[in-house]
Amino acid sequence: MFGRFETQLVSEPEPIKTTLSDWGSEFDSGSRQWAISHAEAGFREQGIEVSVFTRALADLRMNSQAVSFYGRIARKEPLNEGEQIPVALRVNGFSGSGIRSGYRHSDESWTISGGISVFKTRHLMSGTLDGEFVAAAENDYDFSADVDYLYYRDVIFDRPDVEKASGIGWAFDIAASWQPMEKLDLNLRAEDLFSRIRWKDAPFTRAQANTDNKSFDDDGYAVFAPTISGTEGYRDTFYQDLDPRFYGTAQWQEGAWLAVVHGHYQFGYGLYGAGFGRTFAGGARILASYWPELESIRLELTRGKWQAMVSADEVTWSSVRAISLGLSYNY
């Protein structure tokens, strides 16, 4: 038997807690937000693997200038009259569950595995928003944008009575480990290779948004409530592509001590971490690494076939912008 649970939440522009309760209200800098969750359980017999899983993914990308400007609006800070700020937002997400089949082969110094997953999907979210902010005064601004997105719930324009789409997805994965010398271990993994989801009857909106009809709050600051004009409907067939994700680790062991280097590439974004660890009597092992891009410390504990992981950039939930949790058995 084998299994794993992994989840990662990252929000560069503001704390995760704020994003979940009042998105955008504390934007300051940065351009990326994403969430990944995966739970899987299965069995392996003579190299053949079969498992069931459930997963979810959300990938939001924004230009940093718009993040900073929107944060100033949310905090009602003075604007620089005449300032022009481009806006570019991309979103891609879904949830689903399905089955994976694969094969793993091991030799004395290396292991390689691969598999294909087929899954039923829901919670579609995919699209773009392109436009511009223009500061008309210290407390006033104009906004215009073109929007083209598909969804399970219209979070932008609040379209009522949306019939949710369902889809079928598929993805490939490969993994390899190699011990070229006694003290060195190398591990590579790639997920969502050639991954695509086919959606049927997907709700969509194509629209233009502007602030021609403005309102102001009690403090005299312009309220962000764009006027919308466009079309709504259902797309017979929509293909959603998912970005592949790559993970790599190099580990050097000298006696009971370990040095480790990690590298991740996901959602068009590269991350790396480096750290050290120690093996204890009985085979237990602990690793600690630092990830500068996320300003996070990651701890990993391995004992027998079990492995646990936790990573965060802060110790108080109200300030956390990057957090990961993981637990696996014989994976």
Side-chain angles (χ1 to χ4, degrees), residues 38-88:
H38 190 111
E40 182 178 2
F43 67 89
R44 184 182 301 117
E45 181 69 30
Q46 295 183 349
I48 298 174
E49 298 178 333
V50 178
S51 60
V52 294
F53 65 87
T54 182
R55 58 174 299 191
L57 179 152
D59 171 22
L60 180 63
R61 314 182 190 192
M62 304 162 281
N63 60 311
S64 57
Q65 305 100 307
V67 167
S68 177
F69 191 84
Y70 188 83
R72 288 157 59 192
I73 292 173
R75 293 186 293 271
K76 300 182 182 180
E77 296 177 357
L79 307 176
N80 300 318
E81 185 175 350
E83 188 176 10
Q84 295 179 308
I85 302 296
V87 180

Side-chain angles (χ1 to χ4, degrees), residues 283-301:
R285 185 184 67 185
I286 188 168
L287 288 172
S289 56
Y290 179 67
W291 297 71
E293 288 290 331
L294 302 177
E295 299 181 354
S296 296
I297 294 176
R298 173 171 167 173
L299 298 176
E300 298 176 59
L301 175 64

Side-chain angles (χ1 to χ4, degrees), residues 90-93 123-128 148-152 199 203 238-241:
R90 305 288 184 271
V91 63
N92 210 32
H123 298 118
L124 166 65
M125 191 66 73
S126 180
T128 63
D148 185 358
Y149 87 123
L150 302 97
Y151 44 81
Y152 73 97
W199 297 89
F238 171 66
Y239 288 97
Q240 181 184 25
D241 294 316

Side-chain angles (χ1 to χ4, degrees), residues 164-186:
K164 298 178 181 180
S166 62
I168 295 293
W170 57 90
F172 295 89
D173 63 84
I174 59 172
S177 62
W178 181 38
Q179 189 177 19
M181 59 183 70
E182 184 179 355
K183 297 181 179 181
L184 179 63
D185 285 292
L186 304 175

Side-chain angles (χ1 to χ4, degrees), residues 109-111 176-180 184-188 248-252:
S109 62
W110 57 270
T111 298
S177 62
W178 181 38
Q179 189 177 19
L184 179 63
D185 285 292
L186 304 175
N187 292 275
L188 297 171
T249 301
Q251 179 180 289
W252 181 272

Side-chain angles (χ1 to χ4, degrees), residues 128-180:
T128 63
L129 183 151
D130 294 287
E132 183 180 56
F133 280 111
V134 178
E138 285 190 351
N139 63 338
D140 189 14
Y141 54 88
D142 296 316
F143 172 75
S144 61
D146 293 319
V147 181
D148 185 358
Y149 87 123
L150 302 97
Y151 44 81
Y152 73 97
R153 180 170 63 88
D154 189 351
V155 297
I156 299 179
F157 310 129
D158 198 25
R159 175 181 170 186
D161 302 324
V162 173
E163 295 182 12
K164 298 178 181 180
S166 62
I168 295 293
W170 57 90
F172 295 89
D173 63 84
I174 59 172
S177 62
W178 181 38
Q179 189 177 19

